[in-house]
Amino acid sequence: MAERPAGEGPKAPGGRLPARAVIDAVADGFTELPGTGGGGGGGAAAGTYGDGPIDWEGYGRALARAHERTGEHESVVCGTGTVGGVPAVLIAFEFAFLGGSLGQRTGDRIEAAHRHARRARLPVVSLTATGGSRMQEGMRALVQLQRVARQSALTRAAGLPQIAVVRDPTTGGGWATLGAGSDVVLALPGAQVAFAGSRVRPPDADPAAYGAEEKLAAGQVDRVVAPRELPEVLGRWLSLLSSPDGSPAAAGGPAEPPRALGGAGAQGLPETGWEAVERARSARRPRADAYLDAYFEVREEMSGDRCGGTDPGMRCGFGRRNGRTVAYAAQCGTPTLPAGFRTATRLIRLADRLGIPVLTLVDTPGAANDEAAERSGAGAAIADLFAAVAEARVPVTTLVVGEGGSGGALALAAPENTWVTPDCYFSVIAPESAAAILKRGPEHVRETAGELRLRPQDLVDLGVARGIVRP
């Protein structure tokens, strides 16, 4: 790896880093893949270019100029290197080569890179900077998106992680395949990230909607990373999603439930149902962040549901505990939004595909039930999460750390592997709501809480929980 931090070094025309400088900034020992370097458009010998599959006049001269300007024969550079000590296949776009556009030979190289990744059992890192498909090759260029999507799907089916670093700009088909289609998406600050390029948007469009920061807020990228931090963050993600030899992380049995963290639980178990409710709702009771910080030595978070939404009350990501990767989805004590359920579903399905065990922390008064939640598809989002947990082949472990409010909490709970803390309750319905439905006055709420049998010890007796974890 170069001594200079990412984001520094010689710049290409337009002020963007060349593809090889980007690779040099994040990876050690880069070796270009055989068959992905050299050559000209349409298979011509190095240094000579034809006018391509639709005989676009002047295309050959444009390719020759791009080669002279960049030293590259195509808009992507593909090879292997180690990032943070983890071997990976790298696909880096050279924006100075015809705007990093995708053509037939771009597709050839990307397919070769994915094929090598599957043979060698390596994760794929895409360092994208592209304006989209190459118009000088017409539909032959556009159908490369189908080709790239298929290779990505085959790599996904092989259980190998794909991480995208979206640079400025990442637009068009490059964003809609290698970018947004990756398991984890990291973006550089201020980067244009959008399907619509800058010259084909409505003239009155808000530029912010097409930027990395807005994509983060809309749940379409996982993190905006400063260039100086990129090598460390990218390496950490690869180490969490892959074993040191580059193969997928192994499950190795269920994750152990965290120990209870202090709170009112230090006083023993609640004597009444209402005491259990009060403990779970106490501001002094530890929340998800405290449990995650105590449980993991290092962790990285995913953000967003990829459908335009985020939920700050749902933490999802991957962490390392005792040298082992565990995925986590944790509620933070607030009503869970549809975006939160969808983000948890995304997390569980990715962990299942990579063979990584899952830990879920339940803590919510219930699913959000306002008009916005209904319009955002709360029922469908909860149903999909129930299905993800039910279908998971990897073990899922659940700890109820606070409120267990009805189906919005149960959707995140593992059947037959749910544990509880002394500071929690789990109920079919909140005591206040139960009393209201039964036409009981407020003075009967405490009594109703007891009748619901929602205390930690009740949950064990009922067979809902396996046991009570202690501090």
Side-chain angles (χ1 to χ4, degrees):
M1 187 180 296
E3 292 299 319
R4 65 176 181 277
E8 295 184 359
K11 298 291 181 73
R16 297 179 178 89
L17 275 178
R20 293 180 191 271
V22 174
I23 293 170
D24 191 37
V26 300
D28 290 314
F30 179 74
T31 303
E32 200 160 354
L33 287 173
T36 65
T48 63
Y49 300 89
D51 280 341
I54 62 172
D55 294 322
W56 183 285
E57 185 178 354
Y59 179 40
R61 294 191 297 275
L63 289 168
R65 289 193 299 270
H67 167 60
E68 183 178 353
R69 182 167 57 249
T70 65
E72 306 295 348
H73 290 283
E74 249 306 330
S75 59
V76 290
V77 177
C78 303
T80 58
T82 58
V83 181
V86 180
V89 167
L90 296 108
I91 300 171
F93 279 74
E94 176 55 75
F95 190 80
F97 193 101
L98 298 183
S101 55
L102 285 85
Q104 172 75 44
R105 287 184 56 80
T106 321
D108 292 344
R109 292 186 176 200
I110 293 172
E111 178 172 331
H114 274 273
R115 288 181 180 276
H116 181 82
R118 294 194 295 273
R119 284 194 301 269
R121 304 295 303 165
L122 297 178
V124 176
V125 176
S126 299
L127 306 163
T128 62
T130 172
S133 300
R134 194 170 299 169
M135 62 181 181
Q136 296 95 331
E137 294 187 19
M139 279 300 297
R140 184 70 67 82
L142 189 64
V143 298
Q144 299 309 307
L145 302 182
Q146 296 173 321
R147 189 180 182 192
V148 170
R150 172 157 177 77
Q151 290 305 312
S152 179
L154 291 172
T155 300
R156 188 178 303 116
L160 297 165
Q162 299 173 68
I163 300 177
V165 177
V166 290
R167 300 149 54 209
D168 182 43
T170 297
T171 61
W175 166 237
T177 51
L178 292 170
S182 292
D183 301 316
V184 176
V185 182
L186 308 176
L188 295 187
Q192 294 182 70
V193 183
F195 184 67
S198 59
R199 298 184 183 181
V200 295
R201 300 169 190 162
D204 57 348
D206 180 4
Y210 302 84
E213 287 74 12
E214 185 74 12
K215 287 293 186 289
L216 176 65
Q220 296 177 42
V221 305
D222 292 293
R223 180 172 171 182
V224 175
V225 184
R228 291 177 181 274
E229 299 174 5
L230 181 59
E232 180 181 356
V233 173
L234 182 56
R236 196 155 54 235
W237 266 113
L238 285 170
S239 70
L240 287 169
L241 300 185
S242 303
S243 60
D245 64 358
S247 61
E256 61 180 316
R259 298 186 66 83
L261 296 178
Q267 305 168 12
L269 295 174
E271 293 184 5
T272 67
W274 186 246
E275 182 186 347
V277 172
E278 288 186 314
R279 283 196 191 187
R281 294 175 179 175
S282 170
R284 298 183 293 110
R285 191 253 307 159
R287 262 48 181 188
D289 282 333
Y291 276 94
L292 295 173
D293 288 344
Y295 191 78
F296 291 113
E297 295 100 37
V298 63
R299 60 189 174 99
E300 285 288 336
E301 289 208 350
M302 300 166 59
S303 178
D305 62 1
R306 294 296 185 264
C307 299
T310 60
D311 182 357
M314 179 73 79
R315 297 269 191 273
C316 292
F318 293 80
R320 183 176 297 112
R321 177 174 173 82
N322 299 327
R324 180 186 184 212
T325 297
V326 176
Y328 63 86
Q331 293 166 318
C332 299
T334 57
T336 302
L337 305 177
F341 292 118
R342 284 191 285 262
T343 304
T345 298
R346 176 186 161 218
L347 177 283
I348 290 169
R349 288 188 169 142
L350 174 58
D352 190 48
R353 178 161 54 79
L354 298 180
I356 297 172
V358 178
L359 170 70
T360 65
L361 301 181
V362 168
D363 184 10
T364 180
N369 58 7
D370 56 8
E371 293 178 6
E374 288 300 324
R375 288 177 174 144
S376 296
I382 294 170
D384 206 23
L385 179 53
F386 269 120
V389 173
E391 295 165 354
R393 296 161 297 179
V394 296
V396 180
T397 302
T398 297
L399 179 64
V400 186
V401 301
E403 293 193 79
S406 194
L410 189 66
L412 208 60
E416 301 181 359
N417 196 24
T418 290
W419 301 76
V420 291
T421 69
D423 288 338
C424 83
Y425 78 85
F426 213 149
S427 179
V428 63
I429 191 171
E432 296 90 343
S433 298
I437 291 172
L438 295 172
K439 299 182 180 180
R440 296 176 176 178
E443 68 275 13
H444 293 289
V445 169
R446 292 172 179 249
E447 173 190 345
T448 304
E451 292 174 339
L452 286 168
R453 296 197 65 191
L454 48 69
R455 300 174 302 168
Q457 58 268 45
D458 295 327
L459 300 171
V460 175
D461 290 343
L462 291 168
V464 174
R466 289 185 60 180
I468 302 170
V469 298
R470 304 289 181 167

